[in-house]
Amino acid sequence: MMPKTKPAYLWAWPLGLALLAALPWILPPYQLRLVTEATIFSLYAVSYNLLLGYAGLLSFGHAMFFGVGAFAAAVVINSMEGVPLFLALAMATALTTLAGLVVGLLLLRVKGTPFALLTLAFNALFYAIAVKWHTVTGGDDGLTVFPSVVNFGLLSLDPGKGPDMYYLTVLVIGLAVAFCCYFTRTAMGQSVLLIRENEERMRFLGYNTNVARLMLFIITGALAGLAGSFYAIFNSFVSLDAISIEMTTKVLLMTFIGGTASFAGPIVGAFFYTYVQDFLSDLTDNWPLIMGTLFILMVLFAPGGLSGLVKSLAARLPGAKDKGSDRDD
Amino acid sequence: MRKLIMVGMVLLLAVFTATASLAGGTIKLAVMEPLSGTFKDIGDRYLEGVQYAAQVLNEQGGINGMQVEVIPVDSELKPAIATRKATKLMIKEGVKYFCGGTGSSVGGAMVALTGKKGGLFYTYGMAAASMTGAKCSKTFFRACANTDTQSYALANWVASQGFTKVFTVAQDYSFGQQATEAFIKKLKELNPKAEIVGKVLHPIGTKDFAPYVSQIINSGAEVVFTSNWGSDLTLLLKQAKPLGLKAKFACYYLNDENAITAVANDEAVVGSVAAEVYMITIPGEANKKFVEGFKKAKGYYPTWLRGKAYLATMFWAEAVKKAGSAKVSDVIKAWEGLTYDGPAGKWVMRACDHQTQQPIWIAPVVAKSPYFKHAYVGEAGMVPASKVDVPCAQTGCKGLAK
């Protein structure tokens, strides 16, 4: 007999989509802005977690892809007047893919601490290029970005308007996050998991683990680049912050706070970080201190992050059954 | 009972009317400055200048009867954070006017935001020439010098002194590069015989200037141009003298008492010059009155940043006065071409790029100052606006009123 939960699960989709579509009417403009920002960071954090949570690769350089995507989108939009937004996004993502390929090839055989340190070094290199290449990136002054309106025939969306930017973000970033979710269920995604668990065994089974890791590095870089492009368009501006080590720290915080052990963890982390930062920065100038403390507490006492906490609380509820592993991958 | 209800309704109406008129009687001005972290001191001093301007305006009855409410906002020197906080103020509190002086990247992001959401942003300290050049905007006004005008003023001074061997030292980022380029360009124009005997672009936060000082000494330079600020300025000056450098410095920011205190050696700074749009040593009754008033109200002098922020805010207030309303489009229209005759001379807001045409003041550091126990800038001399002007056609700004 089929379980009776399936029809309810199917109903949740149209309901969820209807809710997403109705948000601009439900939320005040500023709250909608926060949701848009958190959605962009969700993709950034999910892409990071594919590296960290799924492949076990601790990277300190994810902002290099985020920043390349942001600057590339700005440069394309500014230099090609009237360029369609989706073409600009595609070009920026392609460039980030290329950056991921180059860096990935150089990091192919490195793992563990050397991998983490080298990604940090590459991030510093990309940052230095952004500072020095003033004619392209604007250096410390940054770049202003005003993309053109997106036309879907009868419907047109202006990224300069809050609700329109929200719809564009939910559409594109939502699809990208869905792709990430799908990717974790593909043979390639599963092989990444197995490589993390026992790389030697995978090799004995005939897998080229280097290629799998390289592919993952390129894909996550491209996704972070797409998030960066949206970040630039969302703010109508891109500065060196987008490619700084601080931007890597931000994604690290989001991912750890949300939890690396589940696909939804980084999304929870991105929303949590965005809202808590907004709330705390109104109260005190020392909000980074509070965030840092929270991060330490999470690592020490709740390594599964918020999603892990919710799961363990749910497991303690009367009637809850132990469904096995914490990870839902 | 009916009477009671009537009285209650009238009272309620009165309260609502009073609240509404109070809201309509305020013009909010958000000050986007780094109010925490490394650059807190800079942000605080700018904020003090704006707050004093608001105090003076409010004591005079406000602008067109509207009281000025200053809202300090910690930009944290991060464009994304600054624009998020500004958006919140725009949406939740209806703030339309913003100002700031620190961080051209914050300025760029604020210009994009105000352009998109219908506000106005003015600066009293962001010097990147491109902000009123290729990146100019209808909603952005600059009431201070930019890298072109400030460098041109120093080039004028170097040329007027007859120096022919000139060395340049600047921080290696867009600001330092632009300042140096503009200085060299103007100096070559004014004195073709002048020779740039050395040019150094060093990393920000350099601790050891000895190799650069040796280069300057070996080059035989008669004067050193520097746009350095912060510890890069103080350490350069501090280390140059003991290493035997005799050449004087032509600086962007030596009229900062904190910088001179940090050098902690008056001999190392006396004779060098500073250039700015405002100094407390500007001669004239208007400035004397302003300095006295500020000192009386605050207990300290309106040096450098405080003075710049005050003047820019008074200039903005003149535009609002002329507009006769707080509507941004009216204020933009009113500010274009407006003249403000204040303590630092006559300022004109040029319509073609929204860059204020203003004199730049140059003063040498002297050993004895009536304001401080240490050395400080002496009486300032004026470089007229016409001598530091960049013609509209050369700014790169397109799309604003000509």
Side-chain angles (χ1 to χ4, degrees), chain B residues 129 146-156 158-159 166 168 176-196 199 225 252 350 387-396:
Chain B
N146 63 39
T147 44
D148 283 339
T149 57
Q150 207 157 347
S151 286
Y152 285 8
L154 285 167
N156 266 284
V158 169
V166 185
T168 67
Q177 290 159 5
Q178 286 173 19
T180 306
E181 275 168 31
F183 172 79
I184 294 172
K185 184 188 157 205
K186 194 68 180 178
L187 184 62
K188 289 279 176 197
E189 254 177 56
L190 295 169
N191 182 8
K193 284 182 188 169
E195 187 191 349
I196 303 298
K199 179 178 161 184
F225 162 85
Y252 260 47
R350 195 160 68 175
K387 285 197 170 182
V388 296
D389 165 47
V390 179
C392 281
Q394 289 174 22
T395 61

Side-chain angles (χ1 to χ4, degrees), chain B residues 129-205:
Chain B
S130 59
M131 291 179 83
T132 46
K135 295 177 187 169
C136 67
S137 163
K138 192 93 186 148
T139 58
F140 173 68
F141 289 81
R142 174 155 40 206
C144 61
N146 63 39
T147 44
D148 283 339
T149 57
Q150 207 157 347
S151 286
Y152 285 8
L154 285 167
N156 266 284
W157 179 79
V158 169
S160 71
Q161 299 295 308
F163 292 124
T164 51
K165 289 185 170 183
V166 185
F167 202 102
T168 67
V169 180
Q171 293 147 318
D172 192 8
Y173 75 113
S174 52
F175 167 72
Q177 290 159 5
Q178 286 173 19
T180 306
E181 275 168 31
F183 172 79
I184 294 172
K185 184 188 157 205
K186 194 68 180 178
L187 184 62
K188 289 279 176 197
E189 254 177 56
L190 295 169
N191 182 8
K193 284 182 188 169
E195 187 191 349
I196 303 298
V197 292
K199 179 178 161 184
V200 161
L201 288 168
H202 62 80
I204 296 182

